[in-house]
Amino acid sequence: MAQIDSRGVVYSTDSEAALAHFETALDRAHSYFGDPFAPADAALAEDPDFVMGHCFKAGLMCMATEKGLEPAIRDSVRTAEALWVRANGRERGHIVAARAWLDGDLARSVELYGDVALAHPHDLLAVQLAHLGDFYLGQSQMLRDRVARVLPHWDESLPGYGYLLGMHAFGLEETNLYGRAEETGRRALEINRRDPWAVHAVAHVMEMQARLADGVEWLTSRRDDWAPDNAFAFHNWWHLALYHLDLQQHDRVLELYDTAIRPKPSTVALEMVDAAALLWRLALRGIDVGDRWTELADAYEPTAEDAHYAFNDAHAMAAFVGAGRSGAANKLLAAMEARAAQGGTNAMMTRDVGLPLAKAMQAFGRGNYARAVDLLLPIRLIAHRFGGSHAQRDLLTLTLIESAIRAGQGTLARGLAAERTDLKPNSPFSWQLAARAAETAGDASRAEQARELASSVNASIARPRAAA
């Protein structure tokens, strides 16, 4: 009673048709093109006891970070558990990993998925779920190393090798190995142009290096490969908006928000996070975003008391503060306080980072900038504990610098801005922040120098440079 897929992975089913549908589901999950659940359901229609069909659905729903999906995840996990005797050892690894996630032990779940990948390196689903889990946990080194563990077992003869390289590229970027990350991401795209995760990895490199013109060209020239009908497109559009934001092209940023990042109301958690993050960055710059906060806060408000995942919760707070929803903000804080007092991975994430950040955002919205500084300073070096990428967690640093400037804490603001210009000397906005910070510190000459550098950097961004 077994079938073997195109990578040599063994499944406990007699149905060739079920496995064929499942491989379609896998490709859709890795590429984000098309609905991966439809072929998974087709596989289960062929064989209702197809263990990996249930594990696949549970894993993907876990990675959506949606509290509303918990009943469906529970159904899939319980169904898979009932098939334990039928399952092989690899499939049992998927079952216990999904159960750990459902029970709130995200860290153990990710390790369990990683163990499956280590023992069965051609199980690309296990690699992907562990990779995404490492992202949600902010485990930058494991984003790289967990993929590196299985790479020696792969080559271009195996279907999905490009997807594996795309994941490795992102891990390399998150560990600041920018040259290798870009090279690996581009190699992944030579194998498969339609790999939005690999496109995304290279986009991250260009964001971190403030290669703004390169980034705009990179994403726009490849748009037909990653944007149409793709479930991950909203995030790559968000990256494009970040380049334009640094270039102070605010009308273009708002256009991207309205047409690509949030073209219609949605309650998809990951989409809402990007929307909130972009609006908050605009608000920090004093840009009027109209009624966009209102629509986003409306979408968040029904889940204000969920406190399901600290990273998402902090972005919900941004929406409530932006829209002036003090009642919803207070409900969310109460829910986060309760969550922080419980057990499980999210309790730690909430306690260590999510809750102080949410309180800082509320303080910022109330004009209590000194309080925001006091809350943000202790967590900036441990912010990775609540997940996300360096680019996403930059929201915390940007809020801290702006809070220090508005609180009149010039010495701190000047130091923080200097850190930023050291890391991103090609960013016009970083130099503008440095100028404002220097003015706050009463350092007129340094402020003028920073303004001149901002103008010089901005003028130098004429065309994309050749890749190194």
Side-chain angles (χ1 to χ4, degrees):
M1 186 183 70
Q3 293 288 325
I4 301 175
D5 74 5
S6 58
R7 287 174 286 272
V9 179
V10 179
Y11 294 79
S12 55
T13 181
D14 285 330
S15 174
E16 292 182 14
L19 182 56
H21 287 303
F22 184 74
E23 291 216 64
T24 298
L26 280 177
D27 188 71
R28 291 185 180 183
H30 299 315
S31 71
Y32 298 90
F33 285 102
D35 175 13
F37 290 98
D41 287 336
L44 290 171
E46 294 287 346
D47 179 3
D49 293 335
F50 183 45
V51 179
M52 280 307 299
H54 300 290
C55 292
F56 174 88
K57 292 178 67 176
L60 258 62
M61 287 188 289
C62 286
M63 297 301 154
T65 68
E66 302 265 6
K67 185 175 177 60
L69 291 175
E70 280 188 358
I73 297 170
R74 186 172 292 106
D75 286 346
S76 291
V77 171
R78 286 177 175 173
T79 302
E81 288 172 336
L83 297 169
W84 184 268
V85 174
R86 174 188 177 98
N88 62 36
R90 181 186 63 83
E91 293 164 339
R92 289 176 180 179
H94 276 271
I95 294 171
V96 296
R99 165 55 70 179
W101 190 288
L102 178 62
D103 289 345
D105 196 344
L106 280 64
R108 180 169 181 267
S109 174
V110 173
E111 285 305 310
L112 289 168
Y113 279 123
D115 288 345
V116 174
L118 190 61
H120 305 274
H122 293 165
D123 185 339
L124 194 56
L125 176 63
V127 177
Q128 183 183 32
L129 294 176
H131 184 68
L132 292 173
D134 284 324
F135 169 73
Y136 291 137
L137 293 172
Q139 298 181 158
S140 299
Q141 182 173 327
M142 293 311 298
L143 279 168
R144 179 193 67 202
D145 292 350
R146 210 181 297 278
V147 182
R149 291 174 178 179
V150 305
L151 269 174
H153 301 273
W154 284 75
D155 58 41
E156 289 191 40
S157 69
L158 289 170
Y161 181 54
Y163 295 134
L164 189 71
L165 291 179
M167 287 185 264
H168 194 223
F170 183 53
L172 290 166
E173 179 277 324
E174 286 297 291
T175 48
N176 308 322
L177 298 172
Y178 299 132
R180 287 186 61 199
E182 183 167 351
E183 179 184 2
T184 303
R186 288 178 181 273
R187 185 180 172 204
L189 292 163
E190 288 173 0
I191 296 170
N192 175 17
R193 288 188 60 86
R194 290 167 62 80
D195 181 353
W197 195 258
V199 170
H200 155 261
V202 177
H204 266 269
V205 170
M206 294 172 177
E207 163 65 21
M208 298 308 293
Q209 294 180 326
R211 289 164 51 194
L212 308 178
D214 285 354
V216 171
E217 192 276 336
W218 173 255
L219 287 177
T220 54
S221 67
R222 292 176 172 269
R223 180 173 52 197
D224 291 343
D225 291 327
W226 59 261
D229 302 318
N230 190 269
F232 192 64
F234 70 93
H235 189 66
N236 279 330
W237 285 120
W238 180 80
H239 276 282
L240 180 60
L242 291 188
Y243 303 134
H244 288 291
L245 186 61
D246 206 335
L247 291 166
Q248 299 184 87
Q249 296 167 352
H250 301 136
D251 288 344
R252 176 58 176 153
V253 174
L254 290 171
E255 179 187 15
L256 286 168
Y257 182 94
D258 292 337
T259 61
I261 298 165
R262 196 162 179 82
K264 60 183 179 181
S266 166
T267 57
V268 175
L270 299 178
E271 295 178 10
M272 293 164 71
V273 161
D274 278 358
L278 189 58
L279 292 184
W280 187 264
R281 282 168 169 80
L282 285 162
L284 289 176
R285 290 158 170 77
I287 305 304
D288 183 4
V289 301
D291 61 359
R292 294 174 180 84
W293 277 128
T294 301
E295 182 278 320
L296 187 58
D298 286 345
Y300 268 120
E301 195 152 1
T303 60
E305 298 178 81
D306 285 349
H308 180 62
Y309 172 50
F311 189 84
N312 294 1
D313 299 336
H315 288 81
M317 178 58 75
F320 295 149
V321 170
R325 302 280 177 88
S326 58
N330 290 333
K331 286 181 182 179
L332 177 60
L333 283 180
M336 294 179 76
E337 294 273 11
R339 174 65 73 177
Q342 298 173 4
T345 308
N346 189 46
M348 175 277 293
M349 300 167 86
T350 302
R351 186 170 52 247
D352 289 359
V353 182
L355 188 56
L357 175 55
K359 288 180 177 179
M361 287 176 158
Q362 187 180 59
F364 186 93
R366 291 173 172 173
N368 192 346
Y369 304 118
R371 173 64 174 158
V373 169
D374 290 342
L375 287 161
L376 291 171
L377 265 178
I379 65 172
R380 64 185 297 257
L381 298 181
I382 60 168
H384 64 278
R385 293 182 188 173
F386 92 138
S389 66
H390 293 305
Q392 289 175 310
R393 293 190 299 268
D394 194 34
L395 179 144
L396 189 154
T397 300
L398 289 168
T399 305
L400 174 58
I401 297 173
E402 187 63 31
S403 297
I405 290 173
R406 296 191 188 190
Q409 298 184 22
T411 300
L412 175 63
R414 183 174 57 187
L416 293 171
E419 291 178 9
R420 189 173 189 85
T421 54
D422 182 59
L423 287 173
K424 290 188 170 185
N426 298 320
S427 162
F429 179 71
S430 293
W431 287 110
Q432 289 158 1
L433 271 182
R436 291 179 58 219
E439 287 176 345
T440 305
D443 191 340
S445 62
R446 188 165 296 180
E448 180 60 27
Q449 181 184 40
R451 280 193 293 269
E452 290 175 358
L453 284 167
S455 297
S456 175
V457 168
N458 202 43
S460 72
I461 304 173
R463 64 181 182 276
R465 68 172 177 79

